[in-house]
Amino acid sequence: MPLKITTWNVNSIRKRLDHLGWLIEAERPDVICLQETKVEAAGFPGGDIAALGYPHQAVAGQKGYNGVAILSRRPLSDIERLHWGGGEAARHVAARVATGDGPLELHTLYVPAGGDKPDPLTNPKFAHKLDYLADLAHWWLARAAAPETPIVLTGDLNVAPLETDVWSHERLRRVVTHTEIEIAHLDRLRLAGHWVDAVRHFVPETEKIYSWWSYRTPDWDGADKGRRLDHVWVTPPLVPRLAGATILREARGWPRPSDHVPVSVVLDV
DNA sequence: ATGGTGGTCCTACCA
């Protein structure tokens, strides 16, 4: 039985409930990982989402900012809310889901955006972003999860690591999300967990792919000044199980869209 | 160098 996992930064779940329905119609995911839900857990529209077919939910919320959730057609267990880089921001939730091959560990993350200036000495938001990634990588190393543990990491990692993950490598190499130091931090995290980029498994590195287009760019589609900030990573035992990946670009053209689009991966598990 | 849009919640702050 294939398992389809979708990750999506919705930029407010309360503003995007219709969109969630459209996503479900388009992709029929088994698991949906959300970021930037922007609502306290108590205000999370869990009933509406259950009615859409996702009664099993792992939610980490806070008022107005951040917020992540895992929505599932199948039961979730071992729900954990995790915090990195200091503070209690709701940016990381983990859970387990059963498959025919045993349990699969799911993580979804909303990595700090990092502000405007890519200088950790003068921009505390950028320093926090680097600390967040470094702490998380360190935790993964200390945890020493065996590489054979099937783990899927999803989310808005707010880093576009490859030259073909941005519309212009030359224009963005000094812009937050595509700087050398952020990419180095993201690479360290990826190596710490033995992860493989599941979307790039299917799309050659020569091909440009994006998951985010700024609200501030007029004609997002024509200008196509996108970046790939949203990722799905899998550990080695899942690599031979990878059966497909989709970026739902059309979602950026929906009415009142999120600035991110859903990214989906299918696993034959 | 600046401002462009959209979200939260009501005054700026964050993306």
Side-chain angles (χ1 to χ4, degrees), chain A residues 147-171:
Chain A
E148 57 268 24
T149 310
I151 306 177
V152 181
L153 181 149
T154 72
D156 176 3
L157 305 185
N158 262 317
V159 181
L162 303 177
E163 295 190 12
T164 49
D165 289 336
V166 293
W167 65 276
S168 168
H169 170 64
E170 282 307 314
R171 298 279 289 273

Side-chain angles (χ1 to χ4, degrees), chain A residues 31-218:
Chain A
V31 173
I32 303 172
C33 300
L34 301 179
Q35 305 84 36
E36 280 208 272
T37 54
K38 292 191 172 177
V39 67
E40 299 159 280
F44 189 79
D48 296 309
I49 292 170
L52 291 169
Y54 299 80
H56 307 285
Q57 304 170 1
V59 176
Q62 68 182 85
K63 187 173 179 167
Y65 300 101
N66 310 313
V68 289
I70 301 173
L71 317 175
S72 177
R73 293 189 184 277
R74 310 185 192 177
L76 296 173
S77 66
D78 304 272
I79 295 166
E80 283 192 86
R81 295 161 189 85
L82 300 152
H83 304 95
W84 314 108
E88 291 297 309
R91 296 181 175 275
H92 183 178
V93 67
R96 281 173 187 262
V97 65
T99 75
D101 283 353
L104 191 70
E105 190 176 311
L106 300 167
H107 292 259
T108 197
L109 286 165
Y110 174 50
V111 172
D116 288 329
K117 199 167 168 236
D119 176 6
L121 298 178
T122 58
N123 174 6
K125 290 181 192 169
F126 193 74
H128 179 240
K129 179 179 197 172
L130 299 181
D131 287 348
Y132 189 94
L133 290 167
D135 279 6
L136 180 54
H138 186 257
W139 176 70
W140 230 292
L141 284 173
R143 185 185 167 201
E148 57 268 24
T149 310
I151 306 177
V152 181
L153 181 149
T154 72
D156 176 3
L157 305 185
N158 262 317
V159 181
L162 303 177
E163 295 190 12
T164 49
D165 289 336
V166 293
W167 65 276
S168 168
H169 170 64
E170 282 307 314
R171 298 279 289 273
L172 291 174
R173 60 194 309 168
R174 285 165 218 90
V175 173
V176 171
T177 63
H178 193 58
T179 62
E180 202 174 353
I181 189 167
E182 289 166 273
I183 294 166
H185 278 66
L186 193 74
D187 283 344
R188 265 178 240 132
L189 172 61
R190 189 170 46 73
L191 294 169
H194 309 279
W195 280 296
V196 171
D197 182 330
V199 174
R200 281 296 178 189
H201 179 81
F202 294 100
V203 183
E205 293 196 4
T206 49
E207 189 176 325
K208 291 191 173 200
I209 44 173
Y210 314 134
S211 66
W212 173 88
W213 293 260
S214 172
Y215 283 127
R216 298 175 192 178
T217 309

Side-chain angles (χ1 to χ4, degrees), chain A residues 242-266:
Chain A
L242 285 169
T246 317
I247 299 183
L248 195 65
R249 182 184 171 108
E250 68 187 57
R252 187 62 178 77
W254 289 342
R256 304 174 315 283
S258 169
D259 45 354
H260 297 253
V261 300
V263 177
S264 304
V265 164
V266 181

